[in-house]
């Protein structure tokens, strides 16, 4: 009799818990939402986070506050997310280096994006641009490859740190092209651009959004954009797919932006957040903003984000095994 009573109580407790989660999802959100960003204010990820925070606030009828937690390749923000309550009030706009690039080449990270995060939506992808100091003799990516092959290791390329998108994507490009350049790590994309302008490094790979003002002003020179599609903001800059060297189009996307929550986020909350992202994605102002910054909008389900991350992680794991890059 006692066992039967205990079992009944357990069933009732589960039922109450499920109902409470459903009710919470129906009422969500009832207070401001915190959106973690693993980079300092002013960068590419911060720019898209602030746009979406404002737009989502209008849809959800609650403030969405960007919380910049830079450091340790987004680990500061990731730890804050993993330590938060799974109620939808703490979210993370992760870039590709945290979601699949880093996890694909490293085995020492203290998290697994597909197990420790709840997927909400893929917000968009970003093209990258290969830039050089204006005095560099190569005029396009094929000339860069020829130059580098004649001088193995003599060229310096800058990145925003070991394991960053700019580091990993340049290593992938170098591997595909059969060249060797010397890596000079910095702390931010802006520092790379300064170093290229000064000539202390010759090459860099940066998000289009961050490099575009310097390219258009002539302070750095664009050699190619990533992927197979030219960027409207730089229509005269060829894609890596247009190079004579085969396979360079695999350097695509440069990075992407994924909205995630802590693990065990209730399904009703995920559904409401995904719906809000999809509403924002089709707004004319969003289309204008994303196009102006060199971003491509995505408007899909949480499952679509998981599939995207799984495929990109496999790409980077395969590259890591082939190249020996990573830990």
């Amino acid at each position: 009799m006692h066992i039967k009573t205990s079992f009944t109580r357990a069933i009732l407790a589960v039922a109450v818990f499920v109902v409470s989660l459903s009710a919470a999802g129906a009422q969500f959100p009832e207070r401001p939402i915190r959106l973690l960003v693993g980079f300092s204010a002013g960068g590419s990820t911060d720019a898209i986070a602030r746009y979406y925070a404002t737009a989502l606030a209008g849809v959800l009828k609650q403030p969405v506050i960007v919380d910049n937690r830079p450091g340790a390749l987004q680990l500061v923000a990731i730890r804050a997310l993993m330590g938060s309550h799974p109620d939808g009030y703490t979210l993370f706009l992760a870039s590709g280096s945290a979601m699949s690039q880093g996890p694909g080449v490293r085995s020492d990270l203290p998290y697994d994006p597909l197990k420790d995060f709840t997927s909400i939506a893929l917000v968009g992808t970003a093209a990258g641009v290969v830039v050089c100091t204006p005095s560099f003799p190569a005029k396009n990516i094929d000339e860069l490859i020829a130059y580098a092959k004649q001088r193995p290791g003599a060229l310096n390329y800058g990145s925003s740190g070991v394991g960053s998108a700019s580091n990993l994507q340049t290593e992938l490009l170098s591997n595909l092209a059969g060249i060797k350049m010397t890596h000079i790590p910095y702390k931010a994309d802006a520092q790379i651009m300064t170093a290229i302008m000064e000539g202390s490094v010759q090459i860099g790979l940066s998000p289009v959004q961050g490099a575009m003002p310097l390219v258009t002003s002539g302070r750095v020179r664009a050699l190619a954009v990533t992927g197979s599609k030219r960027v409207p903001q730089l229509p005269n800059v060829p894609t890596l797919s247009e190079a004579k060297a085969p396979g360079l189009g695999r350097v695509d996307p440069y990075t992407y932006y994924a909205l995630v929550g802590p693990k065990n986020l209730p399904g009703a909350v995920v559904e409401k957040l995904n719906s809000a992202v999809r509403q924002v994605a089709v707004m004319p102002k969003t289309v204008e903003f994303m196009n102006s910054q060199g971003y491509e909008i995505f408007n899909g389900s949480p499952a679509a984000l998981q599939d995207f991350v799984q495929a990109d992680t496999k790409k980077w794991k395969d590259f890591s095994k082939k190249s020996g890059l990573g830990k």
Side-chain angles (χ1 to χ4, degrees):
M1 187 69 175
H2 177 70
I3 293 174
K4 185 176 179 181
T5 302
S6 298
F7 180 75
T8 301
R9 286 175 179 171
I11 293 295
L12 287 172
V14 170
V16 169
F17 179 69
V18 170
V19 169
S20 67
L21 283 181
S22 178
Q27 296 167 7
F28 175 85
E30 298 180 290
R31 62 179 191 269
I33 295 170
R34 180 173 59 141
L35 180 58
L36 297 164
V37 174
F39 301 96
S40 301
S44 302
T45 308
D46 179 71
I48 195 169
R50 289 183 185 278
Y51 176 84
Y52 265 79
T54 301
L56 287 171
V59 173
L60 295 169
K61 309 302 181 189
Q62 287 288 348
V64 179
I65 302 164
V66 174
D67 184 358
N68 296 92
R69 299 288 187 95
L73 295 175
Q74 302 182 73
L75 278 175
V76 175
I78 288 167
R79 288 193 175 101
L81 178 77
M82 292 171 65
S84 68
H85 190 64
D87 53 13
Y89 291 100
T90 300
L91 306 175
F92 175 40
L93 188 68
S95 76
S97 59
M99 292 298 293
S100 56
Q101 295 167 355
V105 302
R106 297 182 62 174
S107 59
D108 62 341
L109 293 175
Y111 70 96
D112 180 332
L114 294 173
K115 294 179 180 178
D116 296 318
F117 304 160
T118 299
S119 295
I120 297 170
L122 176 61
V123 172
T125 61
V129 57
V130 182
V131 297
C132 66
T133 187
S135 61
F136 188 64
K139 303 302 180 187
N140 56 54
I141 197 69
D142 287 308
E143 291 184 7
L144 165 63
I145 293 169
Y147 185 97
K149 282 185 175 180
Q150 293 174 0
R151 304 164 181 82
L155 285 179
N156 294 333
Y157 82 86
S159 87
S160 52
V162 175
S164 65
S166 49
N167 168 221
L168 296 177
Q169 295 285 20
T170 307
E171 289 294 334
L172 176 58
L173 173 60
S174 298
N175 183 271
L176 293 168
I179 61 175
K180 178 66 177 176
M181 296 188 288
T182 300
H183 178 211
I184 309 296
Y186 294 89
K187 292 183 178 180
D189 289 331
Q191 293 179 325
I192 305 170
M193 294 298 109
T194 300
I196 292 171
M197 286 188 289
E198 294 173 347
S200 51
V201 300
Q202 294 83 37
I203 305 296
L205 180 50
S206 166
V208 168
Q209 184 262 355
M212 195 162 46
L214 298 177
V215 172
T216 54
S217 66
R219 286 178 284 179
V220 301
R221 186 153 45 81
L223 297 175
V225 294
T226 59
S228 57
K229 224 168 28 173
R230 291 201 180 194
V231 176
Q233 295 74 23
L234 301 170
N236 297 322
V237 179
T239 68
L240 288 175
S241 295
E242 295 175 63
K244 293 177 183 177
L248 301 190
R250 288 190 63 205
V251 187
D252 184 53
Y254 170 79
T255 193
Y256 59 92
Y257 306 99
L259 184 64
V260 298
K263 68 178 179 180
N264 299 325
L265 205 58
V269 172
V270 174
E271 184 178 346
K272 185 163 282 190
L273 288 168
N274 179 267
S275 175
V277 171
R278 296 175 85 157
Q279 289 179 59
V280 170
V282 297
M283 292 177 179
K285 286 185 177 180
T286 303
V287 175
E288 180 183 357
F289 168 78
M290 296 289 274
N291 288 342
S292 71
Q293 300 299 311
Y295 303 133
E296 184 175 352
I297 300 172
F298 277 75
N299 186 10
S301 66
L305 170 57
Q306 288 185 312
D307 290 344
F308 186 96
V309 172
Q310 284 179 330
D312 203 57
T313 302
K314 183 182 184 305
K315 165 186 162 180
W316 287 102
K317 283 185 176 179
D318 291 345
F319 171 62
S320 179
K321 289 176 184 177
K322 178 183 175 182
S323 66
L325 186 72
K327 296 181 181 180

